[in-house]
Amino acid sequence: MQHRIDEIPLPSPPARGRLFVTNFSAVGPDPQAALDRIGATSLLCLLTPEEIRLRYPDYVPWLVTHMPPWFASQLDQRDVDEFLAEHAEEFGDFNLDDVRFNSDLDARAMWLPIPDGGIIFDGALMGAVAYVNDSLYKGTNVLVHCGAGMARTAVVGILTMISLGADPSQAPDDFRAARPGGGPDGPAQMLQIARLIERAQRLIPFD
């Protein structure tokens, strides 16, 4: 069974890349195959370590080898080695010495763990949105996923749409039209989007 991957509409310009969203079932077994399906080279994972461990623990080594350490450090205030050492038992048996970022790989991964149905610090969320915004601005296709690809993914997707010039009042409806059933899950996620609208609109692509 091939799980659906949906494209989210973006203002063009400024976006030259394309934004796709999906669920963990479409990505976990073979992340590279999921990226290849849509011609993407960047991936943002919003799952917690426990969610990954319970379903596709081998996904973690893939994330780490494709995730620049500076990105994990920026979001988590910890480098990749410390993070993995802390959660090593959750992820099963693999040698941390053999799992390192490989700068020669074409694909890039970003990992921002957000609790299911919950939120994370505004600054960390906006760091991820800024990275997706920059990737799209530069013409890179990006794939974003959480568990079902509906709520946490919608928070990032809607803020990304707004950061690229979408109407904040229309972006949630446009996201839901592209990803049926998608949208923020409850007041906390809705309020987070609302309070970050102005910050999203001020985002400037990285140099």
Side-chain angles (χ1 to χ4, degrees):
M1 174 182 178
Q2 192 172 62
H3 294 267
R4 63 184 292 163
I5 298 178
D6 295 308
E7 183 172 2
I8 303 302
L10 300 172
S12 178
R16 294 194 289 267
R18 300 163 67 191
L19 177 62
F20 297 88
V21 299
T22 192
N23 58 30
F24 191 26
S25 296
V27 177
D30 191 340
Q32 191 60 57
L35 290 170
D36 291 344
R37 267 180 69 186
I38 54 175
T41 54
S42 287
L43 180 147
L44 173 60
C45 171
L46 303 174
L47 295 172
T48 64
E50 179 66 11
E51 289 176 294
I52 296 175
R53 183 190 68 80
L54 289 174
R55 297 187 61 196
Y56 300 107
D58 289 341
Y59 185 41
V60 173
W62 187 93
L63 281 173
V64 174
T65 55
H66 291 74
M67 180 171 58
W70 68 262
F71 183 80
S73 172
Q74 173 188 348
L75 294 180
D76 233 27
Q77 303 303 310
R78 295 175 293 180
D79 64 27
V80 172
D81 287 343
E82 291 173 344
F83 183 80
L84 285 176
E86 181 177 337
H87 295 283
E89 291 186 4
E90 298 178 43
F91 295 140
D93 297 327
F94 62 88
N95 188 344
L96 297 184
D97 293 334
D98 294 333
V99 183
R100 293 288 184 274
F101 172 61
N102 184 344
S103 61
D104 295 329
L105 297 173
D106 290 333
R108 292 291 175 264
M110 298 161 276
W111 186 8
L112 179 63
I114 301 177
D116 189 13
I119 61 173
I120 197 157
F121 293 116
D122 289 356
L125 178 63
M126 289 307 300
V129 172
Y131 199 95
V132 174
N133 170 290
D134 182 71
S135 298
L136 295 168
Y137 181 84
K138 293 176 178 175
T140 300
N141 294 344
V142 181
L143 177 61
V144 181
H145 81 89
C146 52
M150 295 296 182
R152 289 169 286 185
T153 295
V155 173
V156 171
I158 290 167
L159 286 170
T160 298
M161 295 166 73
I162 293 170
S163 78
L164 291 164
D167 182 343
S169 65
Q170 185 62 37
D173 290 338
D174 289 344
F175 183 94
R176 189 173 294 108
R179 180 72 173 169
D185 183 11
Q189 292 183 353
M190 295 172 65
L191 288 171
Q192 185 168 46
I193 292 172
R195 68 174 173 265
L196 292 176
I197 286 174
E198 291 187 5
R199 288 180 63 177
Q201 291 172 324
R202 293 196 301 267
L203 279 181
I204 299 173
F206 303 151
D207 293 333

